[in-house]
Amino acid sequence: MSRPINVHLVPGLFEPADLRGGVAVVIDLLRATSTIIHALASGATSVVPCGEVDEARRLASQAPAGSVLLGGERRGMKIPGFDLGNSPGEYTRELTAGKTLIFTTTNGTRALIRAKEARRVLIGALANLEAVVELLAEESGPVHLVCAGTEGRITLEDVLCAGAIAHWFNLAADDADPSDDATQLALHLFASCGHNYDRAYEDRVLAILGRSRGGRNLIDCGLIADIAVCAEQDKFDIVPELSRDPWEIRVARKKK
Ligand code: MLT
């Protein structure tokens, strides 16, 4: 049986039940999923995604002192009273190791919550591209690439990352079926960068990220440096996965 690759350009374009039985990869390249990957790679024990700021504050207030960090953003900026914002570079080993990160962002954590009915919910970005593709190739069933978008609107950067995952997964799995129209759209966008990881490819990826909706928002916030950090490919060999009970994200595995 073939394995359809479905790119969901924004979370509102699928019903949660559509993902049942499949493996979802949630993508918020700028920056929520890139930041979750950095935090876990820096030794955070888990990440608890929250849809709302008040919920995040409440969970943090119930945790033993010193055991948690509150992180995330609204309008791109650190939330008042939080420990950290949503810049991947903030999540250093020194600050993060051994801590639980309670995390809320505008679109990324909400996309994760909407994808929760999939059989497995993985966290993807360019930072762990190869590790995600390897895990998907070992799995079975449909693949759902869920782009977080920005406030219900399509964002180029998430579609580009979905295209990269779809491209390499299609090559890695004999039975992959990339015929879905949104998947073809994402593949075309990724193909416009070329596929070989060289300087020209990196420049084209950066150019697309810089003019994407998420990239423009970061530039307006004075956070342009985050774009280059999120564009770094295969920096980590981990795949984070959302567990439903308990509700948290942990490293599912390291790439072989
Ligand atoms: C989001 O969840 O939409 C992003 O985290 C936004 C951002 O990076 O500021």
Side-chain angles (χ1 to χ4, degrees), residues 35 38 86-92 95 226 229 235:
T35 299
H38 276 74
N86 191 24
S87 293
E90 290 178 82
Y91 290 79
T92 58
L95 290 177
D226 285 0
V229 176
K235 193 170 174 185

Side-chain angles (χ1 to χ4, degrees), residues 72-161:
E73 57 71 36
R74 284 297 180 270
R75 297 179 182 273
M77 306 307 285
K78 183 162 86 112
I79 299 162
F82 274 39
D83 301 301
L84 296 167
N86 191 24
S87 293
E90 290 178 82
Y91 290 79
T92 58
R93 183 159 287 278
E94 195 186 9
L95 290 177
T96 316
K99 300 277 172 77
T100 296
L101 172 63
I102 300 179
F103 191 61
T104 180
T105 69
T106 315
N107 304 284
T109 53
R110 291 178 185 165
L112 265 163
I113 292 165
R114 194 161 170 87
K116 70 175 188 229
E117 292 191 31
R119 182 164 51 80
R120 296 187 74 176
V121 182
L122 310 176
I123 312 303
L126 291 177
N128 68 347
L129 173 65
E130 195 175 324
V132 165
V133 169
E134 198 173 275
L135 198 158
L136 288 176
E138 288 168 8
E139 261 291 343
S140 58
V143 169
H144 296 278
L145 303 178
V146 176
C147 299
T150 295
E151 286 166 356
R153 302 172 83 173
I154 293 172
T155 48
L156 217 47
E157 74 275 12
D158 293 342
V159 182
L160 176 69
C161 185

Side-chain angles (χ1 to χ4, degrees), residues 20 49 52 115 128 234 248:
R20 283 184 196 152
E52 304 301 331
N128 68 347
D234 295 324
E248 64 183 15

Side-chain angles (χ1 to χ4, degrees), residues 227-249:
I227 298 176
V229 176
C230 295
E232 283 177 60
Q233 198 167 297
D234 295 324
K235 193 170 174 185
F236 302 115
D237 58 3
I238 58 167
V239 182
E241 178 167 7
L242 177 69
S243 129
R244 273 46 68 96
D245 188 17
W247 178 258
E248 64 183 15
I249 299 166

